[in-house]
Amino acid sequence: MAYDYEKFIRPGKLPHIWCPGCGHGIVMKGLIRAIDACGLKKENTAIVSGIGCASRLPGYMDCCTLHTAHGRAAAFATGVKMSRPEMDVILVGGDGDGTAIGGNHFIHACRRNINMTYIILNNKIYGMTGGQFSPATPTGDKASTTPYGNPDPAFDIAKLAIGAGATFVARGTAFHANQIDKLIAEAIQHKGFSVVEILDDCPTTYGRRNKFKSVIEMMNHLKDIAVPVKAAEKMSPEQLKGKVLTGVLYKEDKPEYCEQYAKVIERAQAAK
Amino acid sequence: MEKKLPTIEIIEKYCKGCHICVEFCPTKVLEMKGFVVSVKNLEACIKCMQCELRCPDFAIKVTP
């Protein structure tokens, strides 16, 4: 039998609103397969998002979902996880939602190492609001607010997460569809704050301004720039110019926040 | 023995005609028919499932 995605999708919600060729649907499929593979229960899984194209994703998922204020997914999700530590909390958001408006919440969620999974769908632009440049737009690229090229350097979201203290950081692309579910599953199983950055395509607001003739060209671009971590070890810095590493980039074990907080409660109650 | 052919179900209501499945099918099984995708050459299908995996719109279901 073909894989039944619809068991995790709210009835009557498809077709989704994303543009033709938008990779968000591919990531959503990966997320569904990962949730299924990890054996998470619908009633025990919370999917939290902020505002944006990527943040529409929880609306289609037949789990406990929360669509919150712009950039505040991490703050709301921390609340969910602290009050119900037994729940599996997954955050979904875009690059602008996660690293610009919600940048502060993002780095502090990383620092706390609270047991959640943050999936950042990086399409390098604010798609929903008309293609303004985001912190992930590469230098020189065009957006509706930078018609002569973006002067700002872009964030490397994976490095930002590692620097802020996330204990599991991975990167995939929408082209490498069969890798997405494996990365997300590993992130869900990791105890601590996990970040999975998925490089995505936005043909409507990013592609057409930046000389990509079609969705296929954007997908091929993702294919060309992605280098698996293991392959990159054998490559010279010149060969790696303009490439991005994919796979599990960082992993370590550190005390988890909910457990540490439970100990604080224990100590405080013992001191009475 | 005759080769068992897979079933490729296309949900036309969901397809937005992005061409991803058509382009990345290694054996060119699919084609565009107007705005939606259709099966052109089912016999060439090698059941790699790449069309199903990469369809962003949940419009293709392959039963191997």
Side-chain angles (χ1 to χ4, degrees):
Chain A
M1 269 304 288
Y3 187 87
D4 182 21
Y5 289 99
E6 284 174 33
K7 64 183 171 185
F8 280 99
I9 296 175
R10 290 197 172 122
K13 283 283 182 182
L14 289 178
H16 53 58
I17 61 150
W18 295 313
C19 302
C22 171
H24 290 359
I26 303 175
V27 183
M28 182 171 155
K29 281 178 146 176
L31 174 63
I32 291 173
R33 291 197 304 277
I35 288 177
D36 201 9
C38 292
L40 304 191
K41 290 199 176 72
K42 283 181 188 179
E43 59 277 11
N44 201 39
T45 307
I47 305 184
V48 187
S49 72
I51 299 292
C53 287
S55 299
R56 294 295 293 246
L57 195 151
Y60 303 110
M61 297 288 292
D62 194 9
C63 297
C64 306
T65 59
L66 202 54
H67 193 186
T68 72
H70 202 356
R72 271 62 181 164
F76 283 85
T78 304
V80 172
K81 186 72 186 174
M82 288 296 289
S83 59
R84 297 280 301 273
E86 75 282 2
M87 275 193 110
D88 298 294
V89 182
I90 299 167
L91 295 88
V92 182
D95 48 311
D97 183 61
T99 60
I101 296 101
N104 203 354
H105 296 291
F106 174 65
I107 56 171
H108 290 287
C110 290
R111 178 174 65 90
R112 282 197 180 115
N113 194 31
I114 183 161
N115 190 11
M116 306 192 294
T117 305
Y118 200 154
I119 302 161
I120 298 194
L121 290 84
N122 180 2
N123 57 7
K124 308 194 188 92
I125 206 131
Y126 287 99
M128 184 175 272
T129 49
Q132 294 83 357
F133 74 106
S134 85
T137 307
T139 316
D141 280 12
K142 287 174 184 161
S144 65
T145 43
T146 56
Y148 300 101
N150 170 29
D152 298 354
F155 258 145
D156 184 328
I157 297 173
K159 278 188 186 162
L160 174 71
I162 297 170
T167 51
F168 180 95
V169 179
R171 193 193 275 126
T173 80
F175 176 81
H176 301 89
N178 38 5
Q179 188 192 28
I180 297 173
D181 55 328
K182 292 179 186 83
L183 292 177
I184 297 177
E186 208 177 330
I188 290 172
Q189 280 159 351
H190 176 79
K191 200 173 174 187
F193 196 77
S194 341
V195 177
V196 184
E197 181 195 0
I198 309 285
L199 297 177
D200 216 334
D201 62 324
C202 178
T204 308
T205 62
Y206 181 82
R208 68 189 167 101
R209 287 198 179 91
N210 290 288
K211 291 182 180 166
F212 287 102
K213 288 201 184 83
S214 65
V215 174
I216 309 307
E217 256 186 49
M218 297 196 82
M219 281 285 166
N220 278 325
H221 175 69
L222 290 176
K223 181 184 167 187
D224 294 339
I225 60 168
V227 177
V229 182
K230 274 191 185 156
E233 284 168 7
K234 294 172 197 149
M235 289 166 75
S236 65
E238 291 83 51
Q239 285 173 310
L240 284 172
K241 214 176 171 194
K243 306 276 184 191
V244 286
L245 301 186
T246 58
V248 179
L249 306 176
Y250 185 76
K251 196 176 180 178
E252 73 162 319
D253 287 320
K254 261 194 201 167
E256 197 267 330
Y257 186 69
C258 291
E259 287 180 6
Q260 296 301 308
Y261 203 84
K263 283 181 193 163
V264 172
I265 295 171
E266 232 172 72
R267 280 202 298 273
Q269 285 176 342
K272 262 185 196 171
Chain B
M1 210 181 105
E2 212 174 294
K3 198 174 106 183
K4 189 178 168 271
L5 289 178
T7 324
I8 303 179
E9 186 195 343
I10 288 158
I11 306 163
E12 294 192 359
K13 198 170 72 170
Y14 294 172
C15 180
K16 291 176 188 160
C18 69
H19 288 242
I20 289 178
C21 55
V22 177
E23 289 293 327
F24 293 113
C25 173
T27 52
K28 306 284 168 224
V29 172
L30 304 161
E31 67 171 351
M32 293 305 292
K33 212 173 215 176
F35 288 109
V36 294
V37 67
S38 74
V39 181
K40 175 179 68 176
N41 184 12
L42 187 64
E43 310 222 323
C45 180
I46 54 167
K47 307 170 197 172
C48 68
M49 317 293 278
Q50 291 300 313
C51 56
E52 189 190 292
L53 279 169
R54 292 216 179 92
C55 172
D57 297 301
F58 299 81
I60 303 182
K61 284 181 180 173
V62 183
T63 309

